[in-house]
Amino acid sequence: MVKIYYFISACLLLFSCNNNNTQVSSSDDIRDTISSIKRDTIVEKDTIAPIQAPKEETDEATKMILEFYDKYIRQQDKMPCLDNREFCEEELRKIEREFLSNKLIKKIKRITEYRDMDPIVNAQDIFIEWLDSIKVKKINSKRYNVYRFNFYDKKYEIIKLKVAKKKDKYIIDDIIF
């Protein structure tokens, strides 16, 4: 009789623990406003798939930001391209001209002259593994936050961006420090 009581108690305990893991957080509105890239498995850096916007509805600026960071981080991962340095540098500049305003490109040049870091990712080094954890959150029509995981501190770093519409597409107009 005591064994049956313990067995039933253990089953109820397991069942209640399982239910606690499947409850939805009350902060659904936060989850709905953050677009991110999630993968089920960690893969070798050569096989990381390109960042794609989530299947749920995502605005054009968010898609542009995700595409920019995907291309930028992949190109930086190829650097310094010892066999063809000029080509790699030009590819990086081409990505910057496509996604960044001229004002921001000039600002980045000034910042990198006196700071030993890349203001686009707000770090000294760039890791291809960031592509698995980049998230974008819309703050308002012109402001977006990009979250990238800092493996050393084990927390997300925030990169604050301003976007602008140029002709019929969005570009990153400023990085706020």
Side-chain angles (χ1 to χ4, degrees), residues 6-7 12 16 19 30 46 63 96-98 107 110 118 128 132 137:
Y6 284 128
F7 177 76
L12 289 174
S16 68
N19 281 346
I30 293 172
D46 294 337
K63 290 177 185 176
E96 289 175 352
R97 286 190 303 268
E98 180 182 351
K107 181 179 180 179
R110 284 191 311 269
D118 184 336
I128 192 85
D132 286 330
K137 180 178 181 182

Side-chain angles (χ1 to χ4, degrees), residues 81-117:
C81 287
L82 298 174
D83 56 336
N84 197 355
R85 185 176 180 90
E86 293 83 24
F87 175 75
C88 286
E89 290 285 336
E90 182 53 36
E91 284 297 307
L92 192 61
R93 300 302 156 242
K94 191 167 139 186
I95 292 167
E96 289 175 352
R97 286 190 303 268
E98 180 182 351
F99 292 95
L100 307 178
S101 68
N102 291 334
K103 174 183 81 169
L104 180 57
I105 291 171
K106 290 175 186 173
K107 181 179 180 179
I108 289 168
K109 284 182 184 178
R110 284 191 311 269
I111 291 170
T112 54
E113 285 178 5
Y114 66 90
R115 291 178 72 185
D116 188 24
M117 53 93 64

Side-chain angles (χ1 to χ4, degrees), residues 5-172:
Y5 174 76
Y6 284 128
F7 177 76
I8 292 173
S9 297
C11 289
L12 289 174
L13 180 65
L14 286 173
F15 180 74
S16 68
C17 289
N18 191 25
N19 281 346
N20 287 341
N21 289 338
T22 58
Q23 289 180 348
V24 176
S25 169
S26 62
S27 61
D28 286 337
D29 58 328
I30 293 172
R31 209 169 11 138
D32 290 340
T33 60
I34 296 179
S35 298
S36 66
I37 311 320
K38 294 184 179 177
R39 291 176 173 70
D40 295 333
T41 59
I42 302 296
V43 294
E44 296 297 318
K45 83 175 194 178
D46 294 337
T47 60
I48 291 178
I51 293 180
Q52 296 176 357
K55 290 182 181 169
E56 60 269 4
E57 192 172 318
T58 304
D59 71 338
E60 291 301 313
T62 299
K63 290 177 185 176
M64 177 274 303
I65 293 167
L66 289 170
E67 182 181 358
F68 167 70
Y69 275 92
D70 180 70
K71 289 182 177 184
Y72 186 80
I73 291 170
R74 286 179 191 283
Q75 187 61 35
Q76 285 283 22
D77 187 58
K78 294 177 185 176
M79 305 299 269
C81 287
L82 298 174
D83 56 336
N84 197 355
R85 185 176 180 90
E86 293 83 24
F87 175 75
C88 286
E89 290 285 336
E90 182 53 36
E91 284 297 307
L92 192 61
R93 300 302 156 242
K94 191 167 139 186
I95 292 167
E96 289 175 352
R97 286 190 303 268
E98 180 182 351
F99 292 95
L100 307 178
S101 68
N102 291 334
K103 174 183 81 169
L104 180 57
I105 291 171
K106 290 175 186 173
K107 181 179 180 179
I108 289 168
K109 284 182 184 178
R110 284 191 311 269
I111 291 170
T112 54
E113 285 178 5
Y114 66 90
R115 291 178 72 185
D116 188 24
M117 53 93 64
D118 184 336
I120 293 173
V121 292
N122 195 23
Q124 286 183 325
D125 299 317
I126 294 179
F127 301 96
I128 192 85
E129 292 80 11
W130 285 345
L131 295 178
D132 286 330
S133 66
I134 287 185
K135 299 178 182 187
V136 176
K137 180 178 181 182
K138 181 178 182 177
I139 305 303
N140 60 40
S141 63
K142 295 184 179 190
R143 287 271 324 279
Y144 289 78
N145 285 349
V146 175
Y147 300 88
R148 67 156 181 80
F149 194 71
N150 180 330
F151 295 106
Y152 182 75
D153 294 333
K154 301 200 184 321
K155 66 177 185 173
Y156 277 93
E157 302 282 336
I158 301 173
I159 305 161
K160 297 177 182 180
L161 305 177
K162 282 187 180 177
V163 298
K165 195 153 190 174
K166 183 180 176 184
K167 296 182 182 175
D168 60 342
K169 69 176 198 162
Y170 284 94
I171 60 169
I172 300 171

